[in-house]
Amino acid sequence: MTERTPLLHYRLSTSVNESEPRCPSPGQAPAQHPGNPRQRSAQQRQPEKLSIFFGVVIPTLLSMFSVVVFLRIGFMVGHSGLYQAIAMLLVAYFIICMTVLSVCAISTNGALDAGGAYYMISRALGPEFGGSIGIMFFLANVCGSALFVLGLVEAIVDTFGVPEDGSLPTSAYQVLPSGYWWSLLYGTGVALLCLLVCLVGAHIYAKATFLIFLVVMFVLGTVFVSFFAVHPRTIVLPGSAAFNPAANGTGPAFPTTANFTGFKLDTLLGNLWADYTVDYTTNTMMTFATVFAVMFNGCTGIMAGSNMSGDLKNPSYSIPRGTITAVIFTFIIYNMLSIMVACSCDRVLLQRDYSFLRDINIWNPFVTVGVYSSTLSAAMSNLIGASRILYALARDDLFGKVLSPAKKTSHSGNPWVSVLLSWFLVQLVLFSGKLNTIASIVTIFFLLVYAAVDLACLALEWASAPNFRPTFRYFTWHTCVLGIVGCVVMMFLINAIYASASIAFMLLLLLLIHYLSPTSSWGYISQALIFHQVRKYLLMLDVRKDHVKFWRPQILLMVSNPRSSVGLIRFTNDIKKSGLYVLGHVQLGDLDTLPSDPLQSQYDSWLSLVDHLNIKSFVNLTLADSVRHGVQHLLFISGLGGMRPNTLILGFYDDRLPQDNLIDPSLSAGQSADPSDSPRDAERQPPLFHFASLRGSGDGQDGGEFGDGKVLGPREYVAIIADAVKMLKNVALARDFNGFDRARVLSPPPSSPGKGAVYVDVWPVNLLRPDSCSYVDTCSLFLLQLACILNMVRAWRRATLRLFLCVEEGRSVRGSKEKLGQLLKELRIKAQVYSVPWDQQVALHWQRQGEWGKKPPPSADGVKEQRAEPEEEEESEGDYVNSFPSNATRLSDDYLSAVNKLILDSARPAPAVRFLYLPRPPADTSRYATYLEQLELLTRDLGPTLLIHGVTPVITTDL
């Protein structure tokens, strides 16, 4: 009787590909693994490393051959014909060769440890990709081992088992009971045999695979000899009524016999072209895609050698040579067998008897022994491969304590716990019985791993990292892309649903590892790629091509001590509008007198602050002999190319004591709305941040946003503003943001005035120059732009912009309001415009000017009022009319207090933040203190306020 081999056997070789044995040599043990160092060094001398032939060539050959070489060649040629069969082999080997080139490149770029493909991917692409692919690789090997165990059991039962349908045995050898539970028992016994071999050690497995290799090569030799030695004969085809339509009278009868003709030209001509028909084992119509998918399973297994990386004497030398040798050898064998069967076997024989090689062999049991040997080797290979991958995953601590038991090894370094866990999962899969569907998903998992290896090599090549210097140079980014595309196409060709599910599963694992696993020290290819791309695009960002339509704020926020600046840091993050945001800090000191740079040790705290506040910001620290010089340094050097700060923000210079918002979570502007989060934040603050304590007495710096202690005087502070304006940087002074809490401000209690409404007030007029009320100059438009940007932020969209128009009696209020409304419409800014009469305030101003025109102010009691140096009194009448410094000098405290009260009274309910016009600092440096005192009077008790001075056009009405 001719034995029937179901199509399951042909699909089984999918898992052979990867079970790549990798010996658990002590060299695989991590440095941090507990144990006596002397004992460890002794262990490392015990096992011998494997050579190219035993460690790479044999495992790869057996993984790529498996049962395919004996049971699938006829199936492929019979349905697709010789021409398409050779084309299929060329396409399949082209796909896997692209991956082989990537494997060789990565394996020759440094020292490899245990883990094979997982180790390569994780060290190249980072823990997220490595861990997710590693889990899929592990599961694929587990399912693959179970597949081959069940395949071996089915082959044994097919030969030695009693027929399940109750018919009489046709052979004296059919003595084994059949059935689901009996098959499960046989499978458990085979799995136990594999377990024993793997528990003894990978070197025993290497010896066993060598014996299996000899058997397979001997059987292959008998197959080739049989084509010449066996005479033409007629072979009875396997079949049954289930697959014979003529049995019920529903169709023509299939032939029951076919001929082995020997080498004949007519036979070859009859087998050249495709003739797809119904598969006699599954009763499904074959197509090019289905045959190619079945055949491609036999071409996988190329990573068997690389997965032995931890057990090879010289992985970088052995893996490329051994893998390429095995690929070339199997390609030659497959093509020679395809040509021989096409020249000597009827097409009916190829289509209707997938085990015909046994029937034409010089001794039939040879092929049966070859099938059993290769299947057993594949089962052991998958089991030992799964255990090594699990051991490598556990050793890297990507999943915490879940996999910690798998780190345990024997005295010889064999990870016996990983072997037991892998065997247990294989045993669970055995309960599924026949695994045709799992065979497809296993193949897809392996293809996904191959694609990930190509992606890793492509990423390393594209990143142009100086340390990526593989000695194997026969690859380019083109070969990597072709490998990725080929693997993905094959995945969807085999089964689109399983391919989509496997990719989704990988992405899910990637996200879990990204959020749950600790930071790795392997290096992240993503950072190298980002650097490479950012550098390229920065070079393309030409400042000469800047246009006002695409202007965005690029902010340098000067911070003295972040403990008191949380509110301002978070608010500035809101108004950056996807622009550059840099946190700047000046530390006073002289590098000549210091043993080392004191700033290097501070970066970790600043970066932790950025992560803690969840803002998108860079950090730039500098060492200088004065704060002013430090700010100049940062304005000159911060940023690259077209990404340079165009706006400087400083904390206001006042006498208010700062509050520490990083220690007291209840005062933190970045605290969560959930009160239960506060204790957790408080507990993790001390180890995260190592900033200096806040000053105990005020020096006038709005909670310490800028400057510290007595290191910064009022004149130097105003000089910094003047420097920024000279450098054509926009300037903003932020007052009363020390306790600013965005969550509280944007969600006021319903009982508050305004019923929960949120307002942002804009005063786009120079309140220190009431004689020049222009609403359309560069600075006024800059105020409008920043207020509009704030209103575009998601959290601030419900806020209402209020624009205040200061008018005097006798002027056309309606005309001014309509003109401003038309301007807002053209600028696409939605705001409510309010007219504010300020005749009384202006009268105070002109009254003061009149006094100055009549006589100099008395020096005895007018010092506070005039705020002028003696030489200012000698200025002419024309100076103060046309010169802002002189005019501002003559502003009285009464006028400034009246304007301050006007701002407070005009805004009901109180806004969340105010935007005010910031005049230029006076040209005379002796008036800096007076200028600062005027700003303090103007903004006193206004709440969070930004004083803004714009120097560049930032808004346009053009499309």
Side-chain angles (χ1 to χ4, degrees), residues 367-382:
V367 174
T368 302
V369 171
V371 171
Y372 291 175
S373 300
S374 58
T375 309
L376 180 62
S377 168
M380 287 191 297
S381 179
N382 276 271

Side-chain angles (χ1 to χ4, degrees), residues 198-235:
C198 294
L199 283 178
V200 172
H203 283 269
I204 299 298
Y205 165 76
K207 295 177 181 178
T209 53
F210 177 65
L211 295 177
I212 293 174
F213 170 75
L214 294 178
V215 171
V216 171
M217 290 299 103
F218 175 77
V219 173
L220 267 180
T222 63
V223 168
F224 280 106
V225 170
S226 298
F227 283 109
F228 299 93
V230 174
H231 298 291
R233 62 177 63 173
T234 300
I235 298 172

Side-chain angles (χ1 to χ4, degrees), residues 652-919:
F652 197 75
Y653 197 99
D654 62 12
D655 297 324
R656 183 167 301 178
L657 288 177
Q659 299 172 346
D660 195 336
N661 295 331
L662 283 180
I663 287 184
D664 185 0
S666 64
L667 301 177
S668 175
Q671 71 182 18
S672 170
D674 183 2
S676 62
D677 289 344
S678 296
R680 280 202 305 271
D681 289 342
E683 290 175 4
R684 67 177 183 175
Q685 301 290 339
L688 280 177
F689 310 117
H690 304 284
F691 303 117
S693 301
L694 295 173
R695 56 189 169 87
S697 60
D699 69 334
Q701 297 179 165
D702 189 20
E705 277 111 352
F706 190 70
D708 204 4
K710 296 292 184 180
V711 298
L712 182 64
R715 288 198 176 190
E716 186 180 3
Y717 177 82
V718 180
I720 292 172
I721 302 174
D723 292 341
V725 174
K726 292 176 185 177
M727 298 168 69
L728 296 182
K729 306 294 184 183
N730 309 296
V731 181
L733 308 183
R735 182 168 190 181
D736 290 336
F737 279 89
N738 182 258
F740 184 81
D741 186 344
R742 187 182 71 173
R744 175 176 52 80
V745 168
L746 296 180
S747 302
S751 59
S752 64
K755 299 180 180 179
V758 179
Y759 296 98
V760 175
D761 288 0
V762 182
W763 294 75
V765 63
N766 186 354
L767 296 174
L768 300 190
R769 285 293 303 272
D771 55 328
S772 176
C773 296
S774 174
Y775 290 91
V776 290
D777 63 2
T778 300
C779 188
S780 298
L781 294 178
F782 189 85
L783 259 73
L784 289 174
Q785 181 77 319
L786 280 190
C788 181
I789 288 174
L790 180 64
N791 199 215
M792 295 170 68
V793 177
R794 182 184 299 274
W796 290 85
R797 284 178 184 172
R798 60 182 295 262
T800 302
L801 292 184
R802 296 190 301 193
L803 192 61
F804 292 91
L805 180 63
C806 296
V807 295
E808 297 181 50
E809 184 179 357
R811 293 195 180 184
S812 175
V813 177
R814 182 177 179 182
S816 301
K817 192 171 182 179
E818 289 180 354
K819 185 178 179 181
L820 187 57
Q822 181 61 29
L823 175 64
L824 293 176
K825 184 177 180 180
E826 293 177 356
L827 297 177
R828 290 91 61 203
I829 297 177
K830 186 178 180 180
Q832 298 177 1
V833 181
Y834 295 89
S835 299
V836 180
W838 67 332
D839 297 86
Q840 296 179 0
Q841 291 77 17
V842 173
L844 289 173
H845 168 71
W846 288 115
Q847 178 182 354
R848 179 63 171 173
Q849 306 310 310
E851 294 176 0
W852 271 84
K854 294 177 182 178
K855 61 177 181 178
S859 59
D861 56 355
V863 176
K864 178 179 178 182
E865 178 178 331
Q866 65 191 22
R867 302 173 184 271
E869 301 293 338
E871 60 269 20
E872 295 171 0
E873 302 173 5
E874 301 176 1
E875 291 186 292
S876 64
E877 181 75 13
D879 286 340
Y880 80 79
V881 173
N882 301 312
S883 169
F884 162 70
S886 299
N887 195 13
T889 300
R890 295 172 174 82
L891 292 176
S892 66
D893 289 355
D894 293 339
Y895 167 76
L896 294 171
S897 299
V899 173
N900 176 264
K901 187 175 185 302
L902 174 69
I903 296 173
L904 284 172
D905 294 341
S906 301
R908 299 296 181 197
V913 64
R914 287 182 172 90
F915 289 80
L916 300 185
Y917 192 115
L918 174 68

